Amino acid sequence: MAAGSPVSGIAGEEIVSPDPAALAARAAEWLAARIAAKRDVFRLVLSGGSTPRGLFTLLGSETWRARIDWARVELFWGDERFVPYDDPESNFRMARETLLACIDISPANIHPIPTDGDPAYAARRYETLLKTTYGADTLDASRPLFDVVLLGLGDDGHTASLLPGEPVLDERVKWVAPVAHGRAQPRITLTYPAIESSAVIAFLVTGADKAQTVRATRVGDLSLPAARIEPKGEVVWFLDSAASKAP
């Protein structure tokens, strides 16, 4: 593992591990330390995708499950496909099978994105939940909504469901929005303001096919949705060696 020095903006700090398993272990150690350092409620946003799956599986393992005080953790999601929770495509289902079913956490601390009714109504309900949790209708840069937001990165530069060419990329008022097009199913996503309101944004990225996108995002190529994040706190990039190599 090698670590670079922190820099400002979306470039953030780079933490490189030799392979996806080592990345999951490094991210787990880092996350556990962040949670332990905060004595009160810790608000964590989970991501979908194969790289977070490795992290969740590790955290839910017998070796790891007791190392975090999950009673102090509240879980939220960065995005969700508009499918039932038992659908194989559900981000909530993936987290439930790999992590939630394995740890001692109250159901009251688990806040999946609704996927009933219609997407616009579900997005409004989740935004209401976030505002109630935050205790205000307006985000204050000095008081983050979340402690850590975990994000992936698509080879097209999308993160959460902030998809290229979609109107959601211009949303700077709503905290949650539906995404009707761009993928097979409609989606619901946290918007830029909600993602940016985090003490730390942590990207988890593996694979040589992502290396060019990682580099372009970190240097601020605004054609890529992830590069348009304007972080109010820290940014950390957990990369395997393949994803870290400049093309």
Side-chain angles (χ1 to χ4, degrees), residues 44-45 146-151 190 194-195 197-198 200-203:
L44 171 63
V45 176
F146 303 115
D147 293 287
V148 169
V149 171
L150 300 178
L151 292 175
L190 299 189
I195 290 172
S197 185
S198 182
V200 189
I201 295 170
F203 285 92

Side-chain angles (χ1 to χ4, degrees), residues 5 44 81 92 100 127 133 148 164 182 190 199 201 204 207 210 217 226:
S5 300
L44 171 63
R81 297 172 179 86
F92 173 73
L100 307 182
E127 180 167 321
T133 300
V148 169
L190 299 189
I201 295 170
L204 309 174
K210 302 287 182 67
T217 299

Side-chain angles (χ1 to χ4, degrees), residues 126-148:
Y126 206 56
E127 180 167 321
T128 297
L129 169 68
L130 294 183
K131 289 181 174 180
T132 300
T133 300
Y134 189 64
D137 291 340
T138 303
L139 293 165
D140 180 346
S142 67
R143 186 168 70 91
L145 171 60
F146 303 115
D147 293 287
V148 169

Side-chain angles (χ1 to χ4, degrees), residues 43-179:
R43 296 178 187 144
L44 171 63
V45 176
L46 302 182
S47 172
S50 58
T51 305
R53 178 189 291 271
L55 172 60
F56 300 165
T57 300
L58 181 62
L59 292 174
S61 68
E62 186 175 356
T63 301
W64 263 95
R65 66 185 60 165
R67 293 183 61 179
I68 292 174
D69 181 8
W70 291 104
R72 293 192 297 104
V73 179
E74 286 196 59
L75 297 176
F76 301 84
W77 273 256
D79 73 322
E80 184 58 275
R81 297 172 179 86
F82 201 70
V83 296
Y85 290 153
D86 61 355
D87 190 286
E89 295 294 308
S90 167
N91 287 340
F92 173 73
R93 174 176 171 168
M94 186 272 282
R96 182 182 62 197
E97 292 178 348
T98 56
L99 177 62
L100 307 182
C102 306
I103 60 176
D104 186 12
I105 186 169
S106 168
N109 288 16
I110 302 171
H111 308 292
I113 295 174
T115 59
D116 58 328
D118 66 79
Y121 178 54
R124 290 196 299 271
R125 287 159 56 199
Y126 206 56
E127 180 167 321
T128 297
L129 169 68
L130 294 183
K131 289 181 174 180
T132 300
T133 300
Y134 189 64
D137 291 340
T138 303
L139 293 165
D140 180 346
S142 67
R143 186 168 70 91
L145 171 60
F146 303 115
D147 293 287
V148 169
V149 171
L150 300 178
L151 292 175
L153 184 71
D155 54 13
D156 61 357
H158 85 271
T159 192
S161 284
L162 300 172
L163 304 178
E166 292 302 307
V168 70
L169 300 186
D170 297 319
E171 182 57 66
R172 283 283 172 181
V173 177
K174 295 177 181 177
W175 300 10
V176 185
V179 181

